[in-house]
C-alpha cells in the first residue's frame, strides 16, 4: 500500500515571498483589528474598510513569487500524485502558481470575489473588487473565510486526515481552529506528524519538529520523504 501524505501550510511558508504573516511582530493583525476586517460583523458595519483591506492585499500579491518551499511541495506532489493533498490556510495563490494541483484553499482565495446573492457567482479578480455582481447586480464580498464562518471543503479534509500516513504542518502558529486541530486528527488516525516552523508549536500531537525557515527546511525535508 502506498504512503498517503497530507500537508497543511500557513502564513509562514509565504513569509519569505514578502507576504506578512498574521501574528508575528509586524504581522497583519497588528495593524488591522481582526474583528473589523475578518468577520461578517466587521463587513456589515464597515464594508469599505474590509474591501480596501483585501484590495490592498490583492495588489501586494502581484509583487510576490513562490519561494523554494512552495516549489519543493510541487516536487512532493509529483512524486506522490493522488496520495498527496495540500491544505492551505493561505489566501495567496503561491502554491497554485508554483504548480501544485491538489490544493484545498480552506480559508478562501484572495483572487476570487463572490456575490452576496448567490454562492455560485464566484469570479476571478486580480484588481479592486467590483462593486456589483456582473451576473445579477447584487453586492460583492471577498471570497475569504472570516472568523465565525465554516472553512471550505471540511468533508474532504477530514476524510484525507483519517487516511493519511504522514501529516506535516508548515509555517502555521496553530492558533486558529479547525486547522489547529488537524494534527490531532491525523495523529489519532495513526499518522506520523511533523512540524516545520521557526518556533515549536505547543499542544502536543507532534512526533517531529524541524526548526528553521521554510525556504531552507522544506526542500531538505522533501528530499528525505
Ligand atoms: P500566523 O501568523 O498565526 O503564524 C505564522 C507562523 O509562521 C508562526 O508560527 C511563525 O513562527 C511561522 N513563520 C514565520 N516566518 C516563517 C518562515 N520564514 N519559515 C517558517 N515559519 C515561519 O499564521 P497562520 O498560522 O497561517 O485566517 O494563521 C492562521 C489563520 O489565522 C490565517 O489563515 C488567517 C489568520 O487569522 C483567516 O483570516 C480566516
Amino acid at each position: 500500500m502506498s504512503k498517503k501524505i497530507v500537508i497543511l501550510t500557513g502564513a509562514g511558508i509565504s513569509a519569505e515571498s514578502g507576504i506578512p504573516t498574521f501574528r508575528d511582530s509586524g504581522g497583519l493583525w497588528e495593524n488591522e483589528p481582526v474583528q473589523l476586517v475578518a468577520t461578517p460583523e466587521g463587513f456589515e458595519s464597515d464594508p469599505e474598510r474590509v474591501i480596501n483591506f483585501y484590495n490592498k492585499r490583492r495588489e501586494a500579491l502581484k509583487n510576490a513569487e513562490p519561494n523554494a518551499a512552495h516549489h519543493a511541495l510541487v516536487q512532493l506532489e509529483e512524486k506522490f500524485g493522488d496520495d498527496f493533498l495540500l491544505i492551505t490556510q493561505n489566501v495567496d495563490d503561491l502554491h497554485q502558481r508554483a504548480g501544485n494541483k491538489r490544493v484545498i484553499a480552506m480559508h478562501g482565495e484572495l483572487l476570487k470575489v463572490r456575490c452576496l446573492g448567490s454562492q455560485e457567482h464566484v469570479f476571478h479578480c486580480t484588481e479592486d473588487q467590483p462593486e456589483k455582481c456582473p451576473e445579477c447586480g447584487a453586492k460583492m464580498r471577498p471570497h475569504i473565510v472570516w472568523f465565525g464562518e465554516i472553512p471550505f471543503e471540511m468533508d474532504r479534509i477530514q476524510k484525507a486526515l483519517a487516511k493519511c500516513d504522514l501529516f506535516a504542518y508548515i509555517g502555521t502558529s496553530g492558533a486558529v481552529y479547525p486547522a489547529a486541530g488537524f494534527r490531532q486528527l491525523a495523529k489519532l488516525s495513526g499518522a506520523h506528524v511533523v512540524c516545520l516552523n521557526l518556533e515549536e508549536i505547543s499542544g502536543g500531537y507532534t512526533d517531529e519538529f524541524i526548526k528553521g525557515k521554510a525556504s531552507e527546511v522544506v526542500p531538505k525535508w522533501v528530499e528525505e520523504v
Side-chain angles (χ1 to χ4, degrees), residues 9-16 20-24 29 34 38 54 57 89-91 107 144-147 170-176 179 196-199 201 212-215 217:
T9 61
I13 198 167
S14 295
E16 292 162 81
T21 62
F22 295 94
R23 294 175 184 79
D24 292 309
W29 295 157
V34 59
Y54 290 100
R57 289 180 65 195
Q89 299 167 88
N90 299 343
V91 297
H107 286 168
I144 300 282
V145 175
W146 289 323
F147 286 91
I170 304 171
T172 176
S173 62
V176 175
L196 298 100
N197 206 333
L198 286 181
E199 55 176 1
I201 304 301
K213 289 181 180 176
S215 69
V217 293

